[in-house]
């Protein structure tokens, strides 16, 4: 717990209820970090891999609209998904909880019934209206159950579209249908009260439900990736259309837009045996005054669990939360940032990313430390010896153990009456890898 708290708490945090919850704190963002916004729109982009984003160094021309938007906002170049499936991107970005070994399908487990200190909880307490617009069926991955339990109330899914451009029997409607409906719904939400919304794309996912007449040129020359990159280019086009529609709306200049990929996908290159390119995604913040205050580019490392604290820092005001991330825009200048990631499913490899290095811990094998490079020519270089390797390993184990114990004790949200105090750990050991192992660890 002490190691985890040292990782997460900054000079703007004051730990509270230390005997009950591991990272509950009062966060007081710097006054000069607040932006003149009252609304929040999070756009979770399906399979929006950083490797193929022009603003992050790609030369393939897949994302001209995102690249144009990046010129008016703040882009994070070392940002990563916590997992490699969409549902992990959902709960990490909105519920502020990491992807843990043994709980990769959190939204479908009993522990997913917990309340988490995420955007729905924090902004519902401030009387924000809410909206979730999605192409597909909210029954998938228990999205409706999970997010209803977190506090969201307004859902627009595949059965709510009239005469969509695409009506695919597997996935639902196209991204342009989703964004068109989202623009309409957001205009109706602008009725005096502040609002937050989650808009989630889907077209860039097999079997790629795209219009017969594509509004963009098909991608060629990338072999097996051609169809995937064509779908990504189409999603990028739909994103651009959305911003063109809403830019003149009265609520636009009062809104913080957060555009983030849910995960990446494999590329010809492979960065470490866990392949960071499957995790590397863009994070783009667009809001009035953001570039004047924070600039247009940041290299600090972050993951999706940092999204909620970063949003709360821009809204301003003290907030009590227990997110497993930090406000990326109120860190000390010499803080390189960190992130802990894990692939989906049965692969129990975990990794700690810090600055330009990544410590990869495969199951029952020695950890390996790399220096990595992203952008146009991504690569990884094995570091045979490093003085801080033991410290990085302790931090990785501590974070995973503490988060797992908190999940099992239900002390990561606002339902505390049934919670039990957390057992303290004597030191770093193997991180829990299955629910049964995790429960044994949390029991001491």
């Amino acid at each position: 717990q002490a190691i985890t708290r040292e990782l997460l708490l900054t000079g703007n945090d004051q730990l509270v209820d230390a005997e009950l919850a591991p990272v509950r704190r009062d966060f007081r963002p710097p006054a000069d970090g607040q932006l003149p916004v009252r609304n929040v729109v999070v756009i979770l982009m399906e399979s929006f891999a950083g490797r193929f984003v022009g603003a992050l160094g790609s030369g393939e021309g897949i994302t001209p609209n995102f690249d144009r938007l990046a010129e008016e906002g703040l882009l994070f170049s070392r940002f990563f998904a916590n997992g490699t499936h969409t549902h992990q991107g959902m709960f990490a970005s909105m519920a502020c909880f990491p992807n843990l070994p043994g709980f990769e399908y959190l939204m479908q487990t009993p522990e997913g019934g917990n309340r988490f200190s995420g955007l729905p909880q924090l902004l519902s307490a401030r009387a924000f209206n809410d909206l979730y617009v999605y192409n597909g069926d909210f029954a998938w991955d228990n999205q409706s159950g999970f997010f209803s339990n977190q506090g969201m109330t307004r859902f627009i899914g595949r059965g709510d579209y009239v005469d969509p451009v695409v009506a695919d029997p597997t996935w639902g409607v196209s991204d342009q249908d989703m964004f068109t409906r989202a623009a309409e719904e957001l205009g109706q939400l602008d009725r005096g009260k502040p609002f937050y919304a989650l808009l989630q794309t889907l077209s860039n996912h097999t079997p790629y439900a795209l219009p017969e007449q594509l509004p963009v040129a098909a991608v060629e020359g990338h072999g097996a990736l051609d169809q995937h990159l064509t779908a990504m280019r189409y999603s990028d086009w739909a994103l651009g259309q959305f911003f063109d529609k809403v830019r003149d709306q009265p609520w636009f200049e009062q809104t913080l837009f957060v555009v983030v990929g849910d995960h990446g996908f494999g590329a010809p290159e492979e960065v470490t045996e866990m392949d960071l390119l499957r995790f590397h995604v863009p994070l783009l913040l667009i809001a009035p005054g953001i570039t004047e205050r924070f600039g247009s580019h940041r290299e600090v490392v972050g993951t999706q669990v940092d999204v909620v604290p970063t949003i709360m820092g821009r809204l301003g005001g003290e907030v009590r939360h227990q997110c497993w991330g930090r406000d990326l825009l109120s860190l000390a200048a010499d803080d390189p940032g960190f992130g802990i990631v894990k692939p989906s499913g049965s692969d129990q490899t975990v990794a700690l990313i810090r600055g330009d290095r990544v410590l990869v811990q495969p199951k029952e094998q020695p950890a390996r430390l790399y220096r990595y490079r992203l952008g146009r020519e991504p690569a990884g270089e094995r570091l045979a010896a490093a003085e801080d390797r033991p410290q990085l390993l302790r931090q990785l184990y501590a974070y995973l153990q503490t988060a797992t114990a908190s999940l099992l004790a239900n002390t990561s949200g606002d339902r505390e009456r049934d919670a039990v105090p957390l057992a303290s750990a004597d030191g770093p050991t193997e991180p829990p890898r299955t629910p049964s192992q995790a429960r044994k660890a949390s029991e001491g």
Side-chain angles (χ1 to χ4, degrees):
Q1 286 187 60
I3 294 171
T4 303
R5 288 167 175 169
E6 187 175 359
L7 274 174
L8 287 175
L9 271 65
T10 71
N12 300 304
D13 294 300
Q14 178 64 49
L15 188 69
V16 296
D17 296 336
E19 74 287 348
L20 177 64
V23 295
R24 183 177 292 126
R25 68 262 199 200
D26 289 334
F27 172 56
R28 302 177 181 87
D32 61 355
Q34 183 176 354
L35 294 174
V37 295
R38 65 197 302 265
N39 312 309
V40 178
V41 175
V42 178
I43 304 175
L44 192 64
M45 299 290 292
E46 169 69 45
S47 302
F48 215 67
R51 169 63 182 85
F52 297 102
V53 172
L56 294 177
S58 171
E60 283 84 356
I62 306 299
T63 61
N65 291 280
F66 181 91
D67 302 342
R68 169 174 57 89
L69 293 169
E71 294 178 356
E72 59 185 271
L74 171 58
L75 179 66
F76 291 79
S77 58
R78 287 183 176 170
F79 193 80
F80 301 89
N82 287 97
T84 51
H85 275 173
T86 299
H87 54 87
Q88 293 149 1
M90 291 182 212
F91 67 70
S93 299
M94 293 294 286
C96 206
F97 197 80
N99 183 32
L100 298 174
F103 294 95
E104 298 89 346
Y105 297 91
L106 178 65
M107 298 197 308
Q108 302 177 50
T109 68
E111 290 81 8
N114 299 351
R115 291 262 286 184
F116 296 92
S117 189
L119 208 61
Q121 182 189 135
L122 299 177
L123 295 189
S124 294
R126 296 189 179 188
F128 277 54
N129 284 328
D130 66 88
L131 173 68
Y132 189 170
V133 187
Y134 179 46
N135 316 47
D137 188 340
F138 284 109
W140 293 333
D141 299 317
N142 191 34
Q143 293 176 55
S144 57
F146 181 83
F147 284 103
S148 293
N149 189 49
Q150 300 309 311
M152 300 194 78
T153 62
R154 174 70 169 152
F155 297 82
I156 302 294
R158 65 180 298 169
D160 300 308
Y161 295 85
V162 179
D163 295 326
V165 174
V166 174
D168 180 78
T170 301
W171 285 135
V173 303
S174 69
D175 284 355
Q176 66 190 95
D177 292 309
M178 187 281 290
F179 277 125
T180 297
R181 181 62 180 267
E184 297 171 358
E185 294 288 336
L186 289 169
Q188 295 175 19
L189 270 185
D190 186 33
R191 295 290 187 268
K193 291 178 65 175
F195 61 80
Y196 73 94
L198 172 61
L199 315 182
Q200 186 175 328
T201 73
L202 187 55
S203 292
N204 190 22
H205 190 300
T206 54
Y208 309 118
L210 306 179
E212 288 188 17
Q213 298 297 321
L214 281 174
V216 296
V219 175
E220 299 177 346
H222 293 270
L225 287 177
D226 281 354
Q227 191 177 16
H228 206 332
L229 293 176
T230 297
M232 185 172 176
R233 179 178 281 173
Y234 168 73
S235 294
D236 171 79
W237 173 84
L239 176 70
Q241 292 288 300
F242 169 74
F243 272 90
D244 289 344
K245 283 186 176 74
V246 302
R247 193 173 296 279
D248 294 330
Q249 296 300 308
W251 52 267
F252 183 86
E253 289 296 331
Q254 300 177 319
T255 301
L256 168 63
F257 292 90
V258 180
V259 186
V260 59
D262 67 345
H263 55 77
F265 54 87
E269 311 89 352
E270 189 169 300
V271 181
T272 83
E273 70 265 40
M274 195 177 72
D275 192 5
L276 284 183
L277 299 183
R278 295 176 62 205
F279 297 86
H280 182 218
V281 294
L283 171 65
L284 175 63
L285 307 182
I286 299 175
I290 193 164
T291 56
E292 292 83 356
R293 171 64 184 87
F294 298 105
S296 61
H297 180 258
R298 292 289 174 108
E299 289 194 356
V300 63
V301 170
T303 65
Q304 289 161 332
V305 291
D306 297 309
V307 167
V308 171
T310 302
I311 289 172
M312 300 308 296
R314 309 295 70 75
L315 294 176
E318 180 178 308
V319 58
R320 177 167 294 184
H321 72 77
Q322 39 206 346
C323 286
W324 293 84
R326 307 181 296 171
D327 175 7
L328 296 177
L329 296 178
S330 66
L331 302 180
D334 61 350
D335 191 328
F338 82 95
I340 290 176
V341 302
K342 183 204 173 295
S344 300
S346 60
D347 186 348
Q348 298 302 301
T349 304
V350 290
L352 169 65
I353 307 167
R354 192 168 186 85
D356 66 349
R357 296 188 299 168
V358 54
L359 181 76
V360 179
Q361 173 64 80
K363 182 178 181 180
E364 297 176 354
Q365 296 182 35
R368 304 180 183 103
L369 186 63
Y370 297 84
R371 180 176 291 112
Y372 69 91
R373 183 178 68 240
L374 302 171
R376 189 180 291 265
E377 297 180 351
E381 173 194 359
R382 176 80 181 273
L383 301 176
E387 292 183 358
D388 61 347
R389 182 180 176 279
Q391 179 187 16
L392 295 174
L393 199 58
R394 284 194 297 270
Q395 291 172 337
L396 172 62
Y397 287 175
Y399 184 99
L400 292 172
Q401 289 181 351
T402 307
T404 302
S406 179
L407 175 66
L408 294 170
N410 194 9
T411 58
S412 288
D414 61 354
R415 291 182 180 173
E416 301 165 4
R417 55 186 176 272
D418 297 323
V420 296
L422 292 168
S424 61
D426 294 326
T429 60
E430 284 258 11
R433 294 196 172 93
T434 68
S436 60
Q437 291 172 332
R439 288 184 177 89
K440 184 180 291 185
S442 71
E443 290 164 0

